[in-house]
Amino acid sequence: MKCWIAISLLLACTRVAALSVPAKTDHDILIKRDAEDWPSSGKYHIVACDDDQVRLMQTLLPALYDALLAGIHDANTSHSHPSAAYSVFFKDAKNAPFVSDLLRDVALGTAKWAPSRNSNGSPTFICPGPGQLALDDKDGTRKDAYQICRDSDPPSAGSYVFPSSWIMLCPTFFQQPMFPANSTCCPSISRVRNRFARKKEDLDHAGSSMVHNQMWILFHELVHYYLFAQPDYEFLNPEVYGLNGAWRLNPADSIRNSDNFVYYAATVNAKCTNWPDYAHENERELLEDDSVPDLAENQTASDAAEGSVIRANATVHVDREGSVNFRKRV
């Protein structure tokens, strides 16, 4: 597996733009702009995105701020009195301050990386077009960022590039709905199997219909930014996706996995009240296939068989050895 070195990404933003940006495109990257010159939303900067994309981001980020407030409050109180949602996704009350701080950092756009010429150190979103942004390996191999978006199968919606402040927004991201179709539609529970039930609209993992939208995709990638910024952070490999995968992680792994934060924030924001019995989580079935929908409320077997998998959400992982790992949401 291949990886890209961090400094090369930052240099590529200006070097490649000067060499290979087409004369007219919706994603023109200027040869030089200071970080404060880019469009922004709070502390977040938005780079090389067209006007419509900028306006979209300036709508999504304040909406995400509002959506995280309930989770911040819930995590604050879970240190002494863990809520049901906190107990499902994080289990150990001693981690509640960490969860609360991370949600607060995302809401505020707190900078965790050193400022650079094109970034203030806070998460910086970039919309790369063909040939406009390159990532360089130590051996000089160059990979087009736009092609990274396209090479995922299915195409990636967004990618955090570690170690840096950059979050790539791929073309597929802008094809997703902005928000959940029904913000109060909470996951169903299979009491017999003591797990979240996959419903007809969940075309991937159980609960996927709740978070496969632009707002929660942004949050997923932002969690990666803040997790990787932690001192001595150890990447959870493989990353775990879906409600059932997230709630079964142990306390130490749950705070290293992005989807745990996503589903925690989304379910608390939606005021969900139905949960698996986390006190007896170890009594679950050992052999399960989450690709087979449970027969949830008002659902038939023929209903459960319909649908197609939603597009994946990949992350570009940059490690110290200089090898690239494309982690896909599948």
Side-chain angles (χ1 to χ4, degrees), residues 187-192 194-197 274-277 295-297:
S188 296
I189 306 298
S190 170
R191 295 297 176 193
V192 173
N194 192 31
R195 55 177 278 174
F196 290 100
N274 291 324
W275 310 101
D277 184 359
L295 298 185
E297 295 86 345

Side-chain angles (χ1 to χ4, degrees), residues 2-325:
K2 211 147 165 74
C3 204
W4 311 100
I5 55 177
I7 294 178
S8 296
L9 170 66
L10 304 181
L11 295 177
C13 281
T14 54
R15 183 176 66 248
V16 176
L19 295 175
S20 58
V21 175
K24 293 285 186 180
T25 119
D26 290 336
H27 298 271
D28 283 343
I29 298 178
L30 300 185
I31 293 175
K32 154 65 185 79
R33 286 179 70 169
D34 289 328
E36 61 268 19
D37 292 333
W38 295 113
S40 64
S41 177
K43 295 181 180 178
Y44 291 109
H45 283 171
I46 306 164
V47 175
C49 301
D50 65 31
D51 290 344
D52 288 340
Q53 292 167 338
V54 169
R55 284 191 290 269
L56 173 69
M57 296 297 292
Q58 290 173 333
T59 299
L60 284 171
L61 289 166
L64 177 59
Y65 174 96
D66 292 339
L68 293 178
L69 294 179
I72 294 170
H73 175 74
D74 188 85
N76 280 335
T77 59
S78 289
H79 180 59
S80 55
H81 298 92
S83 69
Y86 182 90
S87 298
V88 164
F89 293 111
F90 298 110
K91 299 176 177 65
D92 194 335
K94 73 178 182 181
N95 291 325
F98 176 84
V99 174
S100 177
D101 287 348
L102 188 144
L103 296 181
R104 185 180 295 106
D105 283 341
V106 172
L108 298 177
T110 306
K112 294 294 185 179
W113 295 97
S116 67
R117 190 179 187 92
N118 293 296
S119 173
N120 63 355
S122 291
T124 302
F125 299 99
I126 185 166
C127 307
Q132 294 176 334
L133 176 65
L135 307 179
D136 293 341
D137 197 1
K138 287 181 178 180
D139 63 4
T141 303
R142 178 171 293 181
K143 180 74 173 182
D144 180 45
Y146 179 81
Q147 199 60 43
I148 291 175
C149 292
R150 305 290 298 196
D151 282 348
S152 297
D153 182 21
S156 168
S159 301
Y160 167 60
V161 183
F162 171 80
S164 75
S165 59
W166 296 98
I167 294 175
M168 295 194 302
L169 300 177
C170 298
T172 299
F173 172 81
F174 297 100
Q175 300 169 9
Q176 306 304 317
M178 289 181 65
F179 305 110
N182 184 348
S183 61
T184 62
C185 183
C186 293
S188 296
I189 306 298
S190 170
R191 295 297 176 193
V192 173
R193 303 175 73 181
N194 192 31
R195 55 177 278 174
F196 290 100
R198 184 179 169 210
K199 300 186 292 185
K200 176 182 178 180
E201 57 267 34
D202 292 328
L203 301 181
D204 194 345
H205 304 280
S208 60
S209 60
M210 193 175 198
V211 299
H212 279 186
N213 53 76
Q214 291 170 343
M215 185 176 73
W216 292 119
I217 289 172
L218 277 185
F219 181 57
H220 182 101
E221 301 307 330
L222 286 165
V223 171
H224 282 308
Y225 167 99
Y226 286 102
L227 286 180
F228 277 102
Q230 299 296 319
D232 302 320
Y233 171 72
E234 294 183 6
F235 169 57
L236 184 63
N237 190 15
E239 187 174 3
V240 175
Y241 297 104
L243 278 166
N244 287 312
W247 89 275
R248 286 169 181 166
L249 289 175
N250 62 46
D253 287 343
S254 68
I255 59 170
R256 299 163 56 207
N257 192 61
S258 187
D259 257 14
N260 284 67
F261 291 87
V262 173
Y263 281 110
Y264 173 64
T267 53
V268 171
N269 180 60
K271 299 180 174 60
C272 299
T273 57
N274 291 324
W275 310 101
D277 184 359
Y278 46 87
H280 299 90
E281 183 267 340
N282 289 329
E283 298 175 11
R284 67 184 182 271
E285 296 179 17
L286 294 179
L287 297 177
E288 295 180 349
D289 182 359
D290 199 40
S291 66
V292 179
D294 293 292
L295 298 185
E297 295 86 345
N298 302 317
Q299 185 181 10
T300 66
S302 60
D303 289 335
E306 295 177 357
S308 59
V309 176
I310 197 165
R311 293 179 178 86
N313 197 26
T315 302
V316 181
H317 175 219
V318 182
D319 62 24
R320 293 171 183 166
E321 287 72 37
S323 60
V324 152
N325 174 22

